């Protein structure tokens, strides 16, 4: 009697389609219609490896104006090395199709899709979309990675947000190897909270800003996914590869520095730059010249991981996001030259 080969993958049913081991499919999941009666479909790409392994779900553009993640997924799916995949890769390059079409962060009625999970079949537009995704896609996943950016005009240094109390997420975040790793408790109705309720490890990668491509953010994200898939044993380790000297740093906390007055903000500081306590972050001038300039000083020593790129700011508006590290000088040294050095250590399965 022949013994069953447990290393071989089995066919799976996905969105009413049977996918056999070794197959790659592009699917279109029907979404709730809008008043124009034009049908909307969520694009889904599935690679079902010949050998058994975990199912990794990667999502992007949960807010429709976040483009870096969609580009990361498109570049990932073009890699020849995915032919060696173990398990299943499910990639959703645009989760919020309506937002993408309208160059908006939101769904009809101003809903934030990342507050609608797990959704409701008879709920509002966002709840129905979230329900379809939860039932048809999310239930297949063993691990989830969500790709996001900053808001429009707010740029982020590439960083991961995880629940540091979850060891599986922590280990995976270290393997991903983004410049900064921060703790984040999932907010109500978010994809992260859904993952927590289902017991699925979850990472959120944020890099760049909305409606803009950023090559560093895209390269770091793509490299991180390859690292993650190797960590999950979905891809073979690269033999004789030179390990990157650049390591992630865990933040103790993150703080936003806000504008004390309204006006025009002037600054030459950049993402990844080390700032000492009491150092000037920017100068805010009255655009009409009727008031004195105001210097905005850093309340703590830290590294800039988020930045408002708009010159015109209102009182109370976020200006800079600072990450505070336990080993500040060591972290600052690495983060400032991360972008310069990281490209020299980018190995993908295409190079094997």
């Amino acid at each position: 009697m022949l013994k069953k080969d447990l290393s071989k993958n089995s066919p799976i049913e996905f969105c009413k389609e049977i996918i056999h081991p070794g197959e790659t499919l592009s699917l279109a999941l029907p979404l709730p219609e809008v008043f124009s009666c034009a049908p909307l479909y969520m694009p889904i790409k599935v690679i079902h490896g010949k050998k058994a392994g975990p199912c990794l779900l990667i999502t992007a553009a949960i807010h429709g104006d976040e483009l870096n993640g969609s580009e990361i997924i498109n570049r990932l799916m073009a890699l020849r090395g995915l032919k060696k995949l173990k398990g299943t890769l499910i990639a959703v390059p645009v989760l919020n199709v309506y937002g993408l079409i309208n160059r908006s962060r939101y769904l009809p009625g101003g809903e934030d899709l990342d507050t609608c999970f797990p959704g409701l079949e008879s709920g509002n537009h966002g709840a129905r979309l979230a329900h379809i995704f939860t039932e048809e896609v999310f239930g297949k996943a063993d691990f989830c990675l969500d790709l996001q950016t900053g808001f429009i005009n707010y740029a982020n240094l590439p960083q991961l947000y995880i629940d540091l109390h979850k060891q599986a997420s922590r280990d995976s975040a270290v393997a991903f190897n983004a410049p900064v790793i921060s703790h984040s408790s999932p907010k109500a109705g978010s994809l992260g909270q859904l993952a927590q309720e289902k017991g699925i490890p979850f990472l959120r990668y944020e890099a760049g800003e909305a409606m803009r491509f950023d090559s560093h953010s895209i390269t770091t994200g793509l490299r991180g996914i390859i690292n993650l898939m190797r960590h999950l044993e979905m891809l073979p380790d690269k033999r004789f590869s030179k390990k990157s000297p650049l390591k992630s740093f865990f933040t103790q906390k993150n703080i936003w520095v806000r504008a004390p007055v309204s006006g025009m903000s002037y600054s030459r500081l950049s993402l990844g730059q080390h700032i000492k306590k009491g150092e000037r972050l920017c100068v805010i001038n009255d655009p009409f010249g009727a008031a004195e300039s105001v210097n905005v000083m850093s309340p703590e020593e830290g590294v800039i991981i988020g930045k408002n790129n708009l010159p015109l700011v209102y009182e109370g508006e976020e200006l800079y996001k600072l990450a505070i590290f336990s080993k500040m000088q060591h972290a600052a040294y690495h983060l400032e030259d991360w972008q310069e050095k990281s490209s020299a250590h980018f190995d993908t399965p295409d190079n094997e």
Side-chain angles (χ1 to χ4, degrees):
M1 183 176 180
L2 293 175
K3 185 180 287 188
K4 184 179 179 181
D5 187 354
L6 298 178
S7 67
K8 289 185 177 180
N9 223 344
S10 302
I12 60 170
E13 182 176 351
F14 191 87
C15 297
K16 299 180 181 179
E17 296 284 343
I18 300 297
I19 306 177
H20 297 277
E23 285 190 335
T24 298
L25 264 67
S26 293
L27 305 171
L29 182 65
L31 299 176
E33 292 184 354
V34 291
F35 58 79
S36 66
C37 297
L40 289 179
Y41 297 92
M42 181 186 299
I44 303 173
K45 300 180 183 295
V46 182
I47 300 178
H48 193 45
K50 293 181 180 179
K51 294 185 178 181
C55 179
L56 171 62
L57 171 63
I58 305 177
T59 60
I62 194 169
H63 305 114
D65 58 3
E66 298 174 332
L67 306 181
N68 282 328
S70 301
E71 179 63 13
I72 290 171
I73 288 179
N74 289 334
R75 294 189 188 185
L76 172 68
M77 300 305 290
L79 296 179
R80 297 190 304 271
L82 293 184
K83 295 178 181 178
K84 301 176 183 179
L85 179 75
K86 291 182 181 180
T88 307
L89 173 63
I90 303 173
V92 183
V94 182
L95 195 54
N96 183 354
V97 178
Y98 178 89
L100 179 78
I101 292 172
N102 291 278
R103 301 180 183 179
S104 169
R105 180 179 176 85
Y106 303 106
L107 292 168
E111 295 174 88
D112 183 343
L113 179 56
D114 206 21
T115 63
C116 297
F117 294 96
L120 187 65
E121 186 175 10
S122 57
N124 58 23
H125 187 98
R128 294 183 184 214
L129 195 162
H131 173 77
I132 292 172
F133 178 80
T134 301
E135 294 298 313
E136 297 289 343
V137 182
F138 193 83
K140 306 289 185 184
D142 298 314
F143 197 103
C144 184
L145 169 66
D146 186 38
L147 307 175
Q148 298 190 19
T149 74
F151 290 89
I152 290 180
N153 299 315
Y154 283 85
N156 283 341
L157 188 78
Q159 55 200 278
L160 282 174
Y161 288 93
I162 65 169
D163 185 345
L164 289 175
H165 302 113
K166 306 295 183 182
Q167 191 61 45
S169 296
R170 190 185 183 101
D171 292 343
S172 300
V174 171
F176 188 100
N177 197 30
V180 176
I181 301 174
S182 300
H183 172 74
S184 177
S185 298
K187 62 183 180 182
S190 67
L191 190 60
Q193 186 186 55
L194 175 63
Q196 185 180 72
E197 292 174 354
K198 299 293 185 181
I200 297 173
F202 179 84
L203 304 180
R204 186 174 85 245
Y205 174 72
E206 288 192 11
E209 71 174 281
M211 296 302 294
R212 299 283 188 274
F213 278 150
D214 179 78
S215 59
H216 179 225
S217 299
I218 293 168
T219 300
T220 302
L222 180 57
R223 182 190 62 239
I225 293 174
I226 298 302
N227 291 339
L228 175 62
M229 294 176 75
R230 286 172 174 157
H231 170 73
L232 297 175
E233 298 183 351
M234 298 178 70
L235 290 175
D237 282 330
K238 185 172 176 60
R239 298 181 64 190
F240 312 117
S241 64
K242 184 178 181 181
K243 297 295 184 180
S244 171
L246 302 169
K247 302 299 180 184
S248 303
F249 284 88
F250 289 88
T251 63
Q252 286 189 313
K253 63 178 179 179
N254 296 333
I255 59 172
W256 273 106
V257 179
R258 298 179 180 273
V261 296
S262 298
M264 289 185 173
S265 174
Y266 296 88
S267 175
R268 294 182 178 179
L269 301 180
S270 57
L271 292 175
Q273 192 163 341
H274 176 219
I275 299 297
K276 295 180 180 180
K277 183 177 181 179
E279 186 175 345
R280 188 171 66 183
L281 294 170
C282 65
V283 178
I284 300 179
N285 294 331
D286 181 355
F288 302 105
E292 293 184 357
S293 300
V294 175
N295 291 317
V296 180
M297 304 300 186
S298 177
E300 295 190 44
E301 183 180 15
V303 172
I304 298 174
I305 62 171
K307 179 184 177 184
N308 183 349
N309 291 321
L310 274 178
L312 284 172
V313 297
Y314 290 109
E315 180 178 342
E317 193 169 4
E318 297 162 334
L319 297 175
Y320 292 96
K321 190 173 188 179
L322 302 181
I324 314 301
F325 300 91
S326 57
K327 298 181 179 179
M328 179 57 66
Q329 292 293 336
H330 189 45
Y333 171 78
H334 279 279
L335 294 179
E336 285 182 350
D337 64 358
W338 183 287
Q339 184 169 358
E340 178 183 347
K341 293 181 179 179
S342 61
S343 60
H345 301 277
F346 183 29
D347 294 322
T348 74
D350 269 335
N351 299 326
E352 297 178 350

